[in-house]
C-alpha cells in the first residue's frame, strides 16, 4: 500500500526497527575515519545503479545471522532443507520440486547449461541475460528475438521461433531492464503454446514488487504439471543481494536436472539463516515494498518534471527515455549519484534503481537540472 517517507520510518518500528538500520552498511567508525567501506555505497554516494534494496535485510534476518554465526564452521545442508520445505509449503508443491541455490544466479546458470546442451535457448534481445551469456560462453546457442514496438517482450514473435531445436524459452517477468510486466493471461497462453516443444523458464526476481504478485506469477502452471520453471530470489524485496539465496520451483524431474549442474554444498549458512527468519516476516515485507514503491513514485515524478518519459515499471527500477544514457550517467556521477549507462544499442534509455529514499531525492533533484543542461 502507498505510504510516505515519514509514515514508512515511523511504521518501521513495527517491523523490529527497520527504519533505524544503518542502511548504507557504513559503520560510524568508518564514517569518522573517512575510510571507504568494503561493501555498499562509497562514502557520500547515492547508489542507484544495481537494483538493490537497502531496506533489508530484515531485523529478523539480522538477528538470525548473529545467532547462527558461531555455527559457521558447519555445512548448511539442514538449513537448506528447512528453507526448501518452507517454500514448498507456501506454494503448494513438494520439497522435491524446489531447488535452493546461492542466489537465483547459480540456478539460472545451471539451467542454461542443462538445457543449452540439449538445444538452443530462445530469449528476448533485451533482458537480464547474465546467466544465458554464461551458457553461451560454454557453447550454448542463444536465439534472440527483438522486443515489440512498445519495448515489451514480443510473445507472438517468440512463439513463431519455437522449433524442435529450441530446448528452453527464457523470459524475465517483469523484465529487467525495462521494468515492464507481461500480462499474466498473455503469458499463460504463451506457455500453453510453447511448452509442448520446449521448457519455459520465467525469472520472477521482481514478482513481489508487482501490483498483484500471486496473479502475475506462473507458479500455478508448475502445480498444474506444465513444463515450466519459475525462479525467485531473496535479493530484491528481502534486501539480501549480498547474502546470495534464490530458488526455483518446477517439476521433480526438472529439479533433478537443475541440481545435476549445481556446485554449492547446501548453501551459505548466513544467507539461509536470514532467509528462514525473514521468509514470513510480513511486517518487514510490507515496509520494504512500501519504501520501494515510494522511491519509484519519486523517480516517475522527477522524470515528468524533467520533461522526459519512462516505461511503466512494476519493479524497483525505472527505464527512463533519454537522448543519451551515457551522458546522463556521467553527469550524475559528477554529483555522486550512480545510475546505469546504456544497455548496448539501447542508448536512449537510462535505468535508475530505487535505493534509499534520501538518495532517490538527490536523483530527483538533479534530473530536471541535468536534462536542461545536457539536452535543452
Amino acid at each position: 500500500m502507498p505510504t510516505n517517507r515519514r509514515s514508512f520510518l515511523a511504521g518501521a518500528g513495527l517491523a523490529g526497527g527497520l527504519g533505524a538500520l544503518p542502511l548504507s552498511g557504513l559503520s560510524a567508525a568508518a564514517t569518522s575515519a573517512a575510510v571507504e567501506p568494503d561493501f555498499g555505497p562509497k562514502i557520500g554516494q547515492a547508489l542507484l545503479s544495481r537494483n538493490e534494496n537497502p531496506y533489508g535485510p530484515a531485523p529478523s534476518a539480522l538477528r538470525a545471522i548473529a545467532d547462527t554465526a558461531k555455527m559457521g564452521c558447519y555445512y548448511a545442508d539442514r538449513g537448506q532443507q528447512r528453507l526448501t520445505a518452507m517454500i514448498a509449503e507456501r506454494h503448494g508443491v513438494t520439497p522435491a520440486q524446489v531447488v535452493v541455490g546461492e542466489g537465483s544466479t547459480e540456478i539460472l546458470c545451471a539451467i542454461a547449461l542443462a538445457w543449452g546442451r540439449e538445444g538452443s535457448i530462445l530469449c528476448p534481445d533485451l533482458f537480464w541475460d547474465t546467466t544465458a551469456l554464461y551458457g553461451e560462453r560454454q557453447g550454448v546457442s542463444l536465439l534472440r528475438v527483438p522486443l515489440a514496438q512498445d519495448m515489451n517482450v514480443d510473445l507472438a514473435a517468440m512463439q513463431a521461433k519455437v522449433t524442435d531445436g529450441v530446448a528452453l524459452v527464457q523470459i524475465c517477468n517483469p523484465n529487467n531492464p525495462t521494468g515492464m510486466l507481461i500480462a499474466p493471461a498473455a503469458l499463460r497462453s504463451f506457455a500453453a503454446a510453447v511448452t509442448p516443444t520446449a521448457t519455459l523458464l520465467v525469472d520472477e526476481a521482481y514478482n513481489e514488487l508487482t501490483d498483484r504478485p500471486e496473479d502475475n506469477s506462473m507458479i500455478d502452471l508448475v502445480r498444474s504439471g506444465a513444463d515450466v520453471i519459475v525462479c525467485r530470489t531473496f535479493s530484491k524485496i528481502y534486501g539480501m543481494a549480498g547474502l546470495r539465496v534464490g530458488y526455483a520451483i518446477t517439476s521433480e524431474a526438472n529439479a533433478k536436472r537443475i541440481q545435476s549442474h549445481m556446485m554449492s554444498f547446501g548453501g551459505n549458512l548466513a544467507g539461509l539463516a536470514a532467509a528462514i527468519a525473514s521468509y514470513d516476516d510480513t511486517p518487514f515485507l510490507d515496509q520494504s515494498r512500501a519504501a520501494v514503491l515510494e522511491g519509484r513514485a519519486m523517480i516517475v515524478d522527477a522524470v515528468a518534471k524533467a520533461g522526459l518519459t519512462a516505461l511503466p515499471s512494476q519493479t524497483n527500477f525505472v527505464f527512463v527515455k533519454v537522448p543519451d544514457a551515457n551522458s546522463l550517467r556521467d553527469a550524475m556521477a559528477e554529483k555522486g549519484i550512480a545510475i546505469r549507462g546504456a544497455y548496448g544499442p539501447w542508448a536512449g534509455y537510462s535505468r535508475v534503481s530505487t535505493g534509499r529514499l534520501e538518495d532517490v531525492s538527490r536523483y530527483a533533484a538533479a534530473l530536471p537540472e541535468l536534462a536542461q543542461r545536457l539536452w535543452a
Side-chain angles (χ1 to χ4, degrees):
M1 58 183 176
T3 186
N4 57 42
R5 185 164 184 255
R6 180 175 295 177
S7 64
F8 167 74
L9 295 176
L14 300 175
L18 175 63
L21 292 178
L23 300 177
S24 68
L26 180 61
S27 69
T31 303
S32 62
V35 176
E36 290 289 1
D38 291 326
F39 309 103
K42 298 177 181 180
I43 294 173
Q45 181 188 48
L47 185 55
L48 306 176
S49 60
R50 303 175 67 178
N51 295 354
E52 295 155 327
N53 173 12
Y55 289 100
S60 57
L62 296 177
R63 289 192 296 269
I65 292 170
D67 290 345
T68 57
K70 61 182 178 292
M71 309 301 286
C73 56
Y74 299 107
Y75 291 116
D77 48 304
R78 291 210 312 274
Q80 186 187 57
Q81 292 164 11
R82 181 178 175 191
L83 180 60
T84 297
M86 292 171 69
I87 293 167
E89 181 179 8
R90 174 181 291 186
H91 294 290
V93 298
T94 68
Q97 292 179 262
V98 178
V99 180
V100 172
E102 297 272 11
S104 59
T105 300
E106 181 190 23
I107 297 169
L108 291 165
C109 286
I111 294 169
L113 293 181
W115 271 258
R117 287 172 177 165
E118 301 298 327
S120 299
I121 297 177
L122 181 69
C123 53
D125 61 356
L126 182 61
F127 77 114
W128 191 72
D129 59 1
T130 301
T131 57
L133 290 174
Y134 167 77
E136 189 174 50
R137 291 194 297 273
Q138 313 307 315
V140 172
S141 173
L142 301 185
L143 300 178
R144 293 181 178 268
V145 178
L147 297 180
Q149 284 295 109
D150 65 356
M151 292 293 287
N152 214 329
V153 176
D154 192 335
L155 295 181
M158 291 190 70
Q159 183 177 329
K161 295 290 186 179
V162 176
T163 66
D164 290 340
V166 173
L168 183 76
V169 179
Q170 183 168 349
I171 285 173
C172 183
N173 193 45
N175 198 16
N176 178 14
T178 68
M180 297 177 72
L181 178 76
I182 302 171
L187 188 52
R188 289 190 176 91
S189 177
F190 176 76
V194 304
T195 51
T197 303
T199 301
L200 175 62
L201 166 60
V202 186
D203 180 357
E204 295 185 350
Y206 302 93
N207 170 267
E208 294 95 341
L209 298 173
T210 66
D211 290 341
R212 297 184 301 278
E214 290 188 14
D215 293 343
N216 295 326
S217 177
M218 297 296 112
I219 292 176
D220 62 304
L221 298 184
V222 175
R223 288 194 293 266
S224 70
D227 189 10
V228 172
I229 305 170
V230 171
C231 281
R232 295 277 187 89
T233 181
F234 281 82
S235 295
K236 306 308 174 185
I237 194 168
Y238 289 91
M240 288 172 43
L243 289 167
R244 311 310 303 139
V245 183
Y247 59 96
I249 298 175
T250 187
S251 67
E252 292 188 18
N254 282 346
K256 289 178 181 178
R257 191 172 173 185
I258 296 168
Q259 289 163 334
S260 71
H261 287 76
M262 292 173 61
M263 292 295 294
S264 56
F265 290 163
N268 171 349
L269 183 143
L272 290 170
I276 290 167
S278 61
Y279 188 53
D280 295 318
D281 189 342
T282 301
F284 165 76
L285 294 174
D286 288 345
Q287 296 290 348
S288 175
R289 187 172 188 273
V292 168
L293 296 187
E294 182 177 353
R296 193 169 75 196
M298 291 166 62
I299 292 170
V300 170
D301 183 59
V303 168
K305 288 180 179 178
L308 302 171
T309 60
L311 298 181
S313 175
Q314 290 276 289
T315 62
N316 66 338
F317 56 88
V318 179
F319 215 34
V320 183
K321 191 170 184 179
V322 296
D324 180 9
N326 287 340
S327 65
L328 181 60
R329 175 202 59 198
D330 295 345
M332 285 285 182
E334 292 175 359
K335 294 179 174 289
I337 303 167
I339 62 172
R340 281 296 302 259
Y343 279 80
W346 289 273
Y349 286 92
S350 165
R351 196 194 72 182
V352 55
S353 308
T354 63
R356 299 179 300 181
L357 293 179
E358 56 266 37
D359 291 338
V360 176
S361 294
R362 288 172 60 185
Y363 170 88
L367 184 62
E369 170 201 335
L370 294 179
Q372 175 69 21
R373 173 159 67 85
L374 292 171
W375 304 308

